[in-house]
C-alpha cells in the first residue's frame, strides 16, 4: 500500500485518484466540524462550494453552516466553530455547509474511489477506515486558498503515524509525507502550541477563536469518519458506506 | 526580517522576489557541487538550462559539467558527483553547468535582488551571507521536476535554524518554513539516514552514488557561498560580490 501526502488541491492529479482512498484534511476547522456534527447526531453534511448553492438547496429542517473570512455568514444557522456543532440543534438534521477551503477541496476530490474527512480528533478512526478500504491512500491537505497550512500537514503526518502504528508496517510514503511525519513527531508533545503558531492559528486567535484551536488539536477523541457518498458526507459507521 | 520557504519554483512569485535574497537549494547534488567547486578554486560557474547552451558557450579552458537522469553527459568533462569537483582539475577554471533542477531554478530566480546557493555543507556560511544582505529571505527548494524533495526541505529547515541560532531571534517564518524546521529538528541526529530514505536518496543509491549522499549530508564543512552576479555564480568571499 502506497501513501501519498499532497500539500494542496492544486498538486492533485485527478487521474491518479480514481483507484485511491483520499483523506481530505482541513483541521481549522471544516473537517473538525464535520466530524463533530456527525458525532452529535447530524445525519448528513452536503459540502458545497458557494453560498448560493447552499441557500438554494435548503429545505425545511435543514441547517446552513460555514464561513467566509473565518466568520459566520448572514442568514446561516451555524458558523465555523466546532462548539456550534456540539449541540442538540444538529441532531437528526442535514447540514448544507460551505467553507473557503475544506468543502471546496472535498468536492474537487470527488473523482476518487473513496473520500474520507480527517482531522486530529478522529485520526485513529480515519486511519482504520482507510485501511479497511484496502486501496492506496492519498492524504490531501486542504490548505488555505491553495497554499500550504502547517496544521493540515501535521495532521497528515499524524495519520501516516497512525497507519504505521496500527499495522506495524512502514508503508511506501512519498517525500512530502515523510516530511509531514517527521514534523508531526517533532511537535507531538506540543501540538496545541504548534497550531497556535501556524498562520491560521494566529489569525483565529486574533478573531477570538483560540478555544476552537485547542479543541481541534485534541487527538483521537471521536470515532466518526465522514465518508462522501453520492455528494453527501455520512458517517462511516452508518450502513451503506464505503461503496466501491 | 521575514523568512519564506517555498517547496518548488512553481510556487515562486517573481514579483515578490525583487526585494529579496533568494537561497536556492538542490542538496542532491547541484548546489553541493557548486559550493565544492568554488572551494577547490573554480573561478565561476555558469548555471545553464540546456546542454546546447552549455556546449555553445564553451571556450578553451572551460569545463562542461552536469547531468541528465543523474548521469554524466556525453562530451562533458564532469558529471554531477561532488567528488568530481574536488580535484585540481577545477582550479582556476570556469565551469558551464547544466542539471535537471538546480541550474534551471537558479536561472528562474534571476529576478531576485540577490541569489545564493545553499546546501548542508555550507548552511552556516550561507545563513551568515544572507543576514549580511539585510533583506527578507526566501529559501527556494529546487525539488525534482517541480515536485518537493525532502532533502531540500530539510536543508531549508536547517538554514532557518542557523538563522535563528546566529541571531538569537525567532523570525517571522511562513507555515511551510515552520514545517521544514521541525522536520529538520526531528532528524537532526540522523541526517544521513533521512537523505538515504528520500526518493532521490534511494534513486542515487541504486545508481551507485551512495557516497555522494553521505558527503552531501555533512553540515557546515565549507564556507564558500555561491552568489549569482551577472549570470555567473562566484564565491561570496570574492571581491565585488553581493552587489545591491
Amino acid at each position: 500500500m502506497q501513501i501519498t501526502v499532497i500539500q494542496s488541491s492544486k498538486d492533485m492529479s485527478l487521474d491518479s485518484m480514481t483507484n485511491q482512498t483520499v483523506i481530505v484534511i482541513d483541521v481549522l476547522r471544516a473537517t473538525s466540524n464535520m466530524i463533530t456534527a456527525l458525532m452529535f447526531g447530524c445525519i448528513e453534511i452536503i459540502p458545497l462550494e458557494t453560498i448560493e448553492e447552499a441557500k438554494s438547496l435548503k429545505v425545511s429542517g435543514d441547517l446552513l453552516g460555514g464561513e467566509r473570512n473565518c466568520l459566520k455568514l448572514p442568514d446561516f444557522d451555524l458558523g465555523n466553530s466546532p462548539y456550534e456543532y456540539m449541540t442538540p440543534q444538529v441532531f437528526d438534521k442535514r447540514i448544507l455547509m460551505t467553507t473557503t477551503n475544506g468543502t471546496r477541496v472535498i468536492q474537487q476530490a470527488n473523482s476518487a474511489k473513496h473520500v474520507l474527512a480527517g482531522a486530529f480528533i478522529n485520526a485513529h478512526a480515519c486511519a482504520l477506515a482507510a485501511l479497511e478500504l484496502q486501496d492506496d491512500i492519498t492524504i490531501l491537505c486542504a490548505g488555505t486558498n491553495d497554499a500550504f497550512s502547517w496544521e493540515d500537514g501535521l495532521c497528515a503526518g499524524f495519520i501516516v503515524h497512525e497507519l504505521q502504528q496500527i499495522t506495524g508496517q512502514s508503508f511506501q510514503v512519498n517525500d512530502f509525507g515523510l516530511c509531514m511525519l517527521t514534523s508531526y513527531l517533532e511537535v507531538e508533545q506540543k501540538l496545541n502550541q504548534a497550531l497556535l503558531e501556524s498562520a491560521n492559528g494566529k489569525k483565529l486567535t486574533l478573531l477570538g477563536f483560540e478555544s476552537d484551536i485547542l479543541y481541534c488539536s485534541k487527538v483521537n477523541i471521536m470515532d466518526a469518519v465522514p465518508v462522501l457518498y453520492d455528494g453527501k458526507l455520512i458517517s462511516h459507521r452508518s450502513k451503506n458506506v464505503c461503496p466501491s
Side-chain angles (χ1 to χ4, degrees), chain A residues 175-237:
Chain A
D175 269 25
F176 196 74
L178 292 172
C179 193
M180 297 307 110
L181 173 62
T182 47
S183 180
Y184 161 73
L185 291 172
E186 177 64 18
V187 301
E188 189 178 15
Q189 302 305 320
K190 45 186 178 185
L191 267 182
N192 274 354
Q193 191 187 322
L195 264 65
L196 289 167
E197 281 175 22
S198 72
N200 282 326
K202 285 178 182 166
K203 188 174 177 187
L204 288 172
T205 300
L206 279 175
L207 291 168
F209 293 117
E210 187 172 341
S211 59
D212 287 7
I213 302 167
L214 301 181
Y215 170 78
C216 294
S217 66
K218 291 192 188 302
V219 301
N220 297 338
I221 56 170
M222 297 194 166
D223 62 2
V225 181
V227 56
L228 191 67
Y229 179 49
D230 201 15
K232 300 172 287 196
L233 289 160
I234 54 179
S235 177
H236 180 64
R237 296 174 307 168

Side-chain angles (χ1 to χ4, degrees), chain A residues 2-119:
Chain A
Q2 170 84 37
I3 301 173
T4 306
V5 181
I6 298 178
Q7 78 145 343
S8 83
S9 59
K10 74 173 193 275
D11 292 333
M12 191 165 67
S13 157
L14 293 176
D15 289 347
S16 69
M17 288 204 173
T18 50
N19 293 315
Q20 304 242 339
T21 296
V22 172
I23 301 172
V24 176
I25 295 175
D26 185 0
V27 168
L28 295 175
R29 300 164 287 177
T31 54
S32 299
N33 291 344
M34 292 166 181
I35 297 154
T36 304
L38 291 179
M39 284 299 288
F40 278 77
C42 157
I43 301 168
E44 62 190 35
I45 298 155
I46 320 285
L48 297 162
E49 196 156 344
T50 69
I51 298 167
E52 293 67 34
E53 279 178 289
K55 285 186 172 175
S56 69
L57 287 174
K58 184 178 173 172
V59 296
S60 175
D62 286 347
L63 297 173
L64 291 173
E67 57 71 43
R68 287 297 180 275
N69 299 313
C70 305
L71 299 174
K72 184 173 166 179
L73 290 156
D75 304 329
F76 269 47
D77 306 289
L78 307 160
N80 204 36
S81 168
Y83 291 98
E84 295 178 82
Y85 295 84
M86 275 179 227
T87 73
Q89 193 189 354
V90 306
F91 185 80
D92 223 19
K93 290 281 172 28
R94 181 171 89 143
I95 300 175
L96 307 165
M97 187 183 285
T98 178
T99 68
T100 316
N101 304 293
T103 57
R104 180 176 53 84
V105 174
I106 288 172
Q107 280 204 333
Q108 288 171 341
N110 195 29
S111 62
K113 189 168 174 187
H114 310 282
V115 180
L116 308 178

